[in-house]
Amino acid sequence: QRAVDAYKTALSVRPQHGEAYYSLANLKTYQFSDDEIDCMHQQERGTDHTLMERVYLYFALGKAYEDRGEFGKSFDYYRQGNDLKRSNSGYDADKMTIELLRQHKTCSAGLFSAHKEHGNPAADPIFILGLPRAGSTMLEQILSSHSQVDGTLELPNILSMAQNMRRQGDREGKKSYPDLLAELSAEELKKLGEAFIADTQIHRKGALFFIDKMPNNFRHIGLIKLILPNAKIIDARRHPMACCFSAYKQLFAEGQEFSYSLNDIGQYYIDYVSLMDHWDTVLPGEILRVHYEQVVEDLEGQVRRILDFCGLPFESACVSFHENKRSVRTASSEQVRQPVNRKGVDQWRRFTGPLEGLSEHLRDLIDDYPF
């Protein structure tokens, strides 16, 4: 409530401050009053806005009308916000596809076999990855409720490591990342693993294991398993339509540039599944796939499955994860304070008309999805 009061104070000082409206919407549990919606429409008609203030306003109106069951209006505002945000983005979906296909080519079964005794043997890290809005925060909250596991943040270390390799290769005129993974020596892999453990120490509180919940690490599982062969990896997966639409209506702070176009989102989901299939082939048994819908239907069963994969004894606190008071800094922060429910399973079905093109794009994956 103090946060709500602070956002409202910000609006009283600067009524066109769209980020305050969106911050209220992004609490997920807040519902706008008629007067607040009228104020947002007044600001919509105004001209004294930055591009991002208008983007924030559109996303807030999208959430306001979704809560009221006016799904046509809601989608129109989500679309306007996404279109405006994408107009200021340089994201190239085809370039991303090519980049991920390079992981297929470089990270072969032979590469992992050649380095199976190399890297840092530490078993501390548990990577929870996948696409954003797929349930990774819920899985993080489940595991971080265990007495032997530290919950941390969406750590940038693996992404930074990959980017540094890419820059180094470009600067020295050598092979770039991920191609150069095939040329790293056993000593180099060990040092990289040691650097990850040392650099992430600041986020830990003394438990035996810790979580890195950066979703985008799914692109770099090859790097992770080469430098940390004993790390646990959990792939959080959600129905294609539910996952993609949830990302489309979420205005991310940074790093998810694919999410501002339904076409881009669809292509990214397809590329993600393809790459995860590759990892399953070259790293058999190394990745635990956890479906959001399965956790909703059988929480305790999935909790036991996850803990068993991580080599942890069962603790009932993991089933009562919503009672965990740790700080959560993702868009699901309020949702994981509530017991598991089915609210997020079928929300996308209210928008089936506007999402028809996306559903056709994802038809094969939808047909193959097990839940």
Side-chain angles (χ1 to χ4, degrees):
Q1 185 56 46
R2 290 171 64 189
V4 170
D5 293 343
Y7 292 139
K8 290 184 175 181
T9 300
L11 288 168
S12 70
V13 174
R14 180 179 167 83
Q16 63 266 52
H17 188 44
E19 187 171 3
Y21 281 119
Y22 179 68
S23 296
L24 287 168
N26 204 31
L27 290 174
K28 309 301 183 188
T29 56
Y30 185 84
Q31 296 202 0
F32 291 103
S33 67
D34 290 344
D35 288 343
E36 287 169 327
I37 292 176
D38 288 343
C39 287
M40 282 192 279
H41 282 306
Q42 289 177 24
Q43 294 305 318
E44 180 188 11
R45 293 189 290 269
T47 57
D48 186 20
H49 298 86
T50 65
L51 181 143
M52 276 309 302
E53 281 178 333
R54 192 165 289 279
V55 169
Y56 286 128
L57 194 63
Y58 288 148
F59 273 88
L61 282 165
K63 174 65 164 57
Y65 282 113
E66 182 177 2
D67 287 342
R68 290 177 171 232
E70 298 184 45
F71 302 119
K73 276 188 178 181
S74 171
F75 186 86
D76 188 54
Y77 279 112
Y78 285 138
R79 180 189 54 76
Q80 291 184 69
N82 277 293
D83 287 351
L84 191 55
K85 187 70 168 67
R86 194 178 190 283
S87 71
N88 203 41
S89 168
Y91 179 76
D92 186 329
D94 291 335
K95 185 177 179 181
M96 177 60 71
T97 298
I98 292 170
E99 180 180 325
L100 297 185
L101 285 173
R102 289 174 65 198
Q103 295 279 353
H104 292 238
K105 181 178 179 181
T106 300
C107 297
S108 65
L111 177 65
F112 295 112
S113 176
H115 290 291
K116 63 182 178 181
E117 303 296 334
H118 302 157
N120 184 331
D124 316 24
I126 301 171
F127 291 89
I128 301 176
L129 42 75
L131 295 194
R133 309 300 294 154
S136 58
T137 300
M138 179 172 63
L139 300 187
E140 176 196 34
Q141 197 75 336
I142 287 170
L143 272 172
S144 65
S145 298
H146 197 282
S147 62
Q148 297 182 36
V149 182
D150 282 333
T152 59
L153 301 166
E154 294 185 351
L155 303 179
N157 301 70
I158 292 296
L159 303 186
S160 296
M161 193 177 291
Q163 186 62 22
N164 288 338
M165 288 183 186
R166 187 177 289 111
R167 288 172 180 162
Q168 180 181 350
D170 293 342
R171 184 172 59 249
E172 298 177 1
K174 299 178 180 178
K175 285 186 177 180
S176 184
Y177 179 84
D179 302 356
L180 61 75
L181 288 176
E183 300 186 354
L184 294 178
S185 67
E187 185 62 26
E188 287 173 317
L189 293 174
K190 183 178 180 182
K191 286 182 177 179
L192 288 170
E194 290 172 347
F196 177 86
I197 296 298
D199 292 345
T200 54
Q201 191 67 41
I202 191 173
H203 301 291
R204 302 178 64 177
K205 297 179 180 178
L208 291 175
F209 301 93
F210 73 101
I211 300 168
D212 179 345
K213 199 199 78 66
M214 175 61 73
N216 296 349
N217 281 339
F218 83 86
R219 306 177 194 169
H220 308 291
I221 290 177
L223 170 61
I224 291 170
K225 293 303 287 187
L226 286 170
I227 69 173
L228 296 162
N230 294 318
K232 299 293 191 295
I233 297 178
I234 299 174
D235 171 30
R237 190 166 296 189
R238 188 179 177 189
H239 187 282
M241 292 299 294
C243 186
C244 290
F245 181 56
S246 188
Y248 185 71
K249 64 178 185 173
Q250 176 65 48
L251 181 57
F252 295 98
E254 60 182 358
Q256 310 296 355
E257 295 295 308
F258 68 91
S259 66
Y260 306 118
S261 155
L262 291 177
N263 286 336
D264 290 349
I265 288 175
Q267 185 166 337
Y268 193 77
Y269 192 101
I270 291 169
D271 291 341
Y272 149 72
V273 171
S274 175
L275 184 55
M276 292 308 302
D277 287 347
H278 172 74
W279 297 133
D280 287 342
T281 299
V282 299
L283 292 165
E286 294 289 330
I287 301 166
L288 179 71
R289 181 151 301 113
V290 180
H291 292 91
Y292 173 82
E293 298 82 5
Q294 206 167 11
V295 177
V296 170
E297 295 298 332
D298 179 22
L299 175 59
E300 183 172 333
Q302 290 303 302
V303 167
R304 290 183 180 277
R305 177 171 171 256
I306 293 166
L307 294 179
D308 184 62
F309 175 77
C310 294
L312 293 165
F314 177 78
E315 291 184 1
S316 59
C318 296
V319 179
S320 305
F321 67 88
H322 58 282
E323 297 175 359
N324 190 330
K325 301 300 183 184
R326 63 180 286 270
S327 175
V328 178
R329 304 186 187 184
T330 73
S332 303
S333 58
E334 287 304 301
Q335 291 163 315
V336 296
R337 309 288 185 206
Q338 304 168 21
V340 163
N341 58 73
R342 293 186 54 83
K343 291 179 182 177
V345 174
D346 291 322
Q347 286 180 341
W348 66 273
R349 296 186 186 279
R350 302 165 182 167
F351 298 84
T352 51
L355 295 177
E356 185 176 354
L358 178 63
S359 64
E360 285 304 311
H361 192 33
L362 296 171
R363 177 55 52 200
D364 289 344
L365 293 181
I366 293 171
D367 290 343
D368 289 341
Y369 196 73
F371 301 98

